[in-house]
Amino acid sequence: MQSPTYTALRGAIQVEHDVPEDVDNAVKRLFSELLLVNAIDETDIGMIFFTMTSDLHSRNPAASLRKFFPKVSTTALFCMQEAEIDGMLEKVIRILIVTTYPLGRHGENVYMDGARVLRPEFAR
Ligand SMILES: C=C(O[C@@H]1C=C(C(=O)O)C=C[C@H]1O)C(=O)O
């Protein structure tokens, strides 16, 4: 079977406080780790989706990403509110990255800090 021409990478991180500095720091750490463990560069990415839980209001994660990774300024970014489910983990930023880089394998997903409980098999 032919390999897919894209790879989708998932990640999530829990923000400590709903303040711009904590959102910035969480996005920076999560995205840096995803690039590192997958050995890809910002320029290999076709699109990036974020969701935030509804308790986060202080900063848009796309703005945080552009602040620290200027090369994504021409990448399609999209932010949405996460579905509200009873008992859901609070203050979580989720990311979905679609890369056209030929990884030749499955991508490594990254779940950090409090969000590790969501997918322990991907905990970092
Ligand atoms: C468990 C998560 O949270 C939610 C559940 C998901 C799932 O069941 O696949 C995916 C994204 C989120 O809507 C996660 O982010 O992985």
Side-chain angles (χ1 to χ4, degrees):
M1 197 167 74
Q2 203 173 353
S3 325
T5 53
Y6 65 87
T7 303
L9 309 171
R10 270 300 321 274
I13 191 166
Q14 193 172 33
V15 177
E16 191 155 357
H17 302 290
D18 181 23
V19 293
E21 298 72 27
D22 284 9
V23 173
D24 277 355
N25 192 38
V27 170
K28 184 182 181 185
R29 288 181 54 231
L30 180 61
F31 191 68
S32 299
E33 190 69 13
L34 277 158
L35 295 184
L36 184 72
V37 300
N38 287 288
I40 57 170
D41 183 67
E42 295 101 296
T43 55
D44 301 318
I45 294 172
M47 61 192 100
I48 302 173
F49 299 89
F50 289 99
T51 74
M52 305 174 84
T53 48
S54 63
D55 49 9
L56 294 174
H57 309 276
S58 63
R59 187 131 169 94
N60 187 314
S64 301
L65 194 70
R66 276 192 297 270
K67 178 174 169 182
F68 297 108
F69 302 91
K71 282 193 239 170
V72 302
S73 63
T74 54
T75 306
L77 306 181
F78 204 84
C79 304
M80 295 158 278
Q81 188 170 303
E82 177 65 22
E84 298 222 41
I85 307 296
D86 292 344
M88 70 195 296
L89 194 65
E90 62 182 27
K91 296 194 196 70
V92 175
I93 296 174
R94 292 174 169 84
I95 191 168
L96 170 65
I97 294 174
V98 181
T99 174
T100 52
Y101 187 78
L103 289 174
R105 55 180 165 76
H106 291 297
E108 300 286 339
N109 300 320
V110 171
Y111 285 65
M112 297 175 81
D113 300 350
R116 286 180 290 190
V117 298
L118 295 170
R119 297 296 298 266
E121 70 273 38
F122 302 132
R124 296 270 168 184

